[in-house]
Amino acid sequence: MKRSIATLFILFSITIVKAQEIDSLSFIKSKRMSDDDLAKKREGTFFTGIPDFSSDPVTGFGFGLRTNTYWNGNRDNPLFPYTPYLAKLKANAAYYTSNARELVLSLDVPYYKGTRWRFKIDFKAQQNPANLYFGLTESTLGQLRLPSDENTTFSTYREFDRARKTLRPGGVGEADFVTDALSNRFRETEYMLNLKADYALGNGKWRIMGGYEIQHLSYTTFEGMEAEAIDPITGQNTTAPNGISLLRRDFEDGLISGVDGGWVSIIQTALIFDTRDFEPDPTKGYYFEIANEYSSKYIGSQFDFNKLFIQGRAYQKLPIGKRTVLAGRFGAGNIFGNNAPFFEFQDQWSPEGSINALGGRQSLRGYRANRFLARSMWFTNVELRVRLAETQIGKQRFAFAVAPFFDAGTVRDRWQDLNFKNIKTSYGGGLRIAWNQSTILSFDYGHSKEDRLFYFGIGQAF
């Protein structure tokens, strides 16, 4: 069953590709940009680069450089009205106050030389000591609990954060007095190379994709490290050794696997339906995908698992103002494999980019990243993107929009138990700045019963 999903996609891809003949650009006609956006699209090759002053409640304040080099071609190129670009090279480097650091290189070539093929190459090297872990089952849907005391719960993250920093007597294998300030955190170090290709079918609305990814991952928890602490008698700030982390505790109790890290080899396959008119910032269209990741010792991996993710997005321009778009997304995923490593529960893979599950900027913006984790999950997002103003400074064009949003989702230990009970929700507002149409700067403020969080990054949430 696990291998059959990936094998079916691959065999289907080979059969269709051999059957298709490329004789014109008719397969891409459905993706024509709106006349308004087409009139503003810039010709030729250009570069956008901004200092990376991002902000995330988990990784902290970040600074670095985010760059995109676009090859748009000339207006007389037959592909010009139908593609966001002929090619894009992304190069990002960032450092965060949490001591996280990241280098990302990505090349994207849609409709290579006017054919039905699209190629992507991604490389990433990152180290993040601020990853969060609250558990790996649907019990995470409950209120926040201290790693050392599951009987005490907290309704807000602020209360929880103060309680875990409060000094407590150490247990077995711990110092005399310890703090739990870092007990929900772990460090991840990752090196990743990903190669993908997809092929447009028929009239271009359907695509099939195949890819290969190889990663090396390593993990560190913070037992015994000096960390923030609060004296329970005086209330004064101090420092103390950190206690045993929740991730380490669950690993030693045999509840999770993968904390030792290692090599992960993955075959990726996807079936995609896409009618969006402009991928970075659509005004209309639909996007649907069935995506699968297969990892096994038979392809050189140290882990066996199969991940299935289904996602749908819809964009509709409304007759309000000059450019008002109602955008919505629904996603559902499941991990197969009795011993799937814990880190595979942290995201859902999509050809459009992995999605943190569940919590954070990409799913529930009022909750911390990975706040809710289990084998199965679903989530939804709705945004109203209202453009307020546009301006041009030299050759640079900018557009400004607001985007109120609503998010919801839940997790389960079995996909058969997914339903609409015990749903977590968040809501908030965002600001969008479109730079030369293709580069979208996003500012989001999310609110939930548990937290209030601010995010800044490049690109839409979906």
Side-chain angles (χ1 to χ4, degrees):
M1 171 64 182
K2 297 176 187 176
R3 269 187 261 175
S4 63
I5 297 175
T7 303
L8 179 62
F9 272 122
I10 294 172
L11 293 177
F12 178 68
S13 302
I14 294 173
T15 302
I16 295 297
V17 169
K18 288 182 177 180
Q20 295 287 333
E21 294 293 334
I22 303 173
D23 53 9
S24 71
L25 293 178
S26 61
F27 64 90
I28 201 176
K29 298 297 185 184
S30 63
K31 295 181 69 63
R32 191 182 190 278
M33 300 171 62
S34 68
D35 291 339
D36 187 49
D37 284 343
L38 181 59
K40 300 168 188 173
K41 185 177 178 182
R42 185 170 171 179
E43 292 184 272
T45 299
F46 62 95
F47 171 88
T48 62
I50 62 171
D52 180 11
F53 295 112
S54 60
S55 178
D56 183 276
V58 176
T59 55
F61 179 77
F63 58 91
L65 184 65
R66 292 180 177 265
T67 70
N68 289 299
T69 303
Y70 294 95
W71 290 267
N72 272 4
N74 297 322
R75 200 165 291 274
D76 59 1
N77 187 314
L79 288 172
F80 194 83
Y82 305 102
T83 62
Y85 39 78
L86 298 180
K88 180 181 78 169
L89 176 64
K90 177 174 72 176
N92 299 342
Y95 177 83
Y96 299 84
T97 51
S98 63
N99 203 31
R101 58 202 73 183
E102 180 181 72
L103 172 65
V104 175
L105 301 173
S106 178
L107 177 65
D108 180 19
V109 185
Y111 304 109
Y112 174 71
K113 291 186 176 180
T115 70
R116 297 173 180 262
W117 287 100
R118 181 174 193 161
F119 298 103
K120 292 183 179 181
I121 303 174
D122 298 294
F123 170 80
K124 179 169 69 173
Q126 65 97 12
Q127 184 178 87
N128 185 359
N131 284 289
L132 294 176
Y133 176 79
F134 299 95
L136 213 62
T137 68
E138 63 184 82
S139 64
T140 55
L141 292 170
Q143 289 187 322
L144 291 159
R145 290 175 169 83
L146 293 175
S148 57
D149 180 11
E150 296 187 354
N151 296 319
T152 304
T153 62
F154 304 89
S155 58
T156 69
Y157 197 89
R158 176 176 293 183
E159 294 172 350
F160 167 73
D161 194 44
R162 180 175 179 82
R164 67 179 181 173
K165 293 177 182 178
T166 301
L167 283 172
R168 64 172 176 84
V172 177
E174 297 178 326
D176 292 338
F177 287 92
V178 297
T179 174
D180 285 317
L182 301 177
S183 294
N184 289 96
R185 295 195 174 219
F186 64 92
R187 177 187 292 118
E188 178 184 68
T189 303
E190 175 188 12
Y191 298 93
M192 181 275 290
L193 178 65
N194 181 265
L195 309 173
K196 294 192 291 287
D198 69 49
Y199 186 84
L201 307 176
N203 60 9
K205 295 180 181 180
W206 288 94
R207 307 200 312 268
I208 49 175
M209 194 223 77
Y212 175 74
E213 180 173 296
I214 187 165
Q215 300 171 285
H216 186 269
L217 300 165
S218 57
Y219 297 94
T220 302
T221 50
F222 303 112
E223 289 78 17
M225 179 178 291
E226 286 292 310
E228 293 178 272
I230 298 174
D231 189 308
I233 299 176
T234 66
Q236 297 297 310
N237 293 328
T238 183
T239 60
N242 197 69
I244 297 176
S245 74
L246 179 59
L247 182 67
R248 180 64 58 184
R249 193 189 306 270
D250 282 358
F251 177 68
E252 293 178 351
D253 289 343
L255 302 177
I256 64 173
S257 64
V259 176
D260 291 334
W263 289 97
V264 187
S265 178
I266 298 172
I267 291 177
Q268 300 168 327
T269 50
L271 178 64
I272 302 166
F273 176 78
D274 188 2
T275 63
R276 294 171 298 175
D277 59 348
F278 187 63
E279 290 179 21
D281 191 16
T283 62
K284 64 179 180 178
Y286 301 93
Y287 177 89
F288 173 78
E289 70 181 16
I290 303 175
N292 190 83
E293 284 193 313
Y294 170 70
S295 178
S296 167
K297 62 182 179 182
Y298 299 109
I299 56 172
S301 181
Q302 293 178 232
F303 304 95
D304 294 295
F305 61 86
N306 202 82
K307 293 174 66 174
L308 181 65
F309 181 59
I310 300 173
Q311 177 185 191
R313 307 179 187 180
Y315 306 88
Q316 179 62 54
K317 187 176 181 180
L318 303 179
I320 303 171
K322 188 172 183 179
R323 191 181 193 274
T324 300
V325 178
L326 179 63
R329 170 171 67 174
F330 178 84
N334 188 74
I335 302 174
F336 299 92
N338 293 331
N339 200 33
F342 83 95
F343 49 81
E344 290 299 332
F345 289 68
Q346 296 179 115
D347 67 78
Q348 297 294 326
W349 175 75
S350 163
E352 294 277 291
S354 293
I355 302 167
N356 281 111
L358 192 62
R361 177 176 178 262
Q362 298 168 309
S363 53
L364 296 182
R365 282 165 277 192
Y367 291 94
R368 308 269 164 160
N370 300 323
R371 172 63 181 89
F372 311 107
L373 292 185
R375 186 173 294 274
S376 302
M377 54 80 71
W378 71 258
F379 70 97
T380 188
N381 312 104
V382 179
E383 288 189 1
L384 186 65
R385 301 169 181 172
V386 183
R387 181 165 293 182
L388 301 178
E390 298 181 47
T391 188
Q392 186 167 343
I393 303 174
K395 294 184 178 181
Q396 309 301 312
R397 184 180 293 273
F398 298 91
F400 303 88
V402 293
F405 61 81
F406 175 79
D407 309 322
T410 192
V411 298
R412 294 291 187 273
D413 294 331
R414 304 189 316 153
W415 66 266
Q416 297 93 329
D417 297 329
L418 285 174
N419 54 37
F420 296 98
K421 297 180 180 179
N422 204 358
I423 298 173
K424 300 299 180 181
T425 62
S426 67
Y427 61 91
L431 171 67
R432 306 286 184 265
I433 302 175
W435 180 9
N436 288 331
Q437 296 179 292
S438 299
T439 299
I440 311 297
L441 310 182
S442 297
F443 305 79
D444 286 323
Y445 181 76
H447 181 281
S448 71
K449 293 180 179 179
E450 190 174 284
D451 225 336
R452 293 170 176 80
L453 304 171
F454 174 76
Y455 307 89
F456 164 58
I458 296 181
Q460 305 271 22
F462 63 96

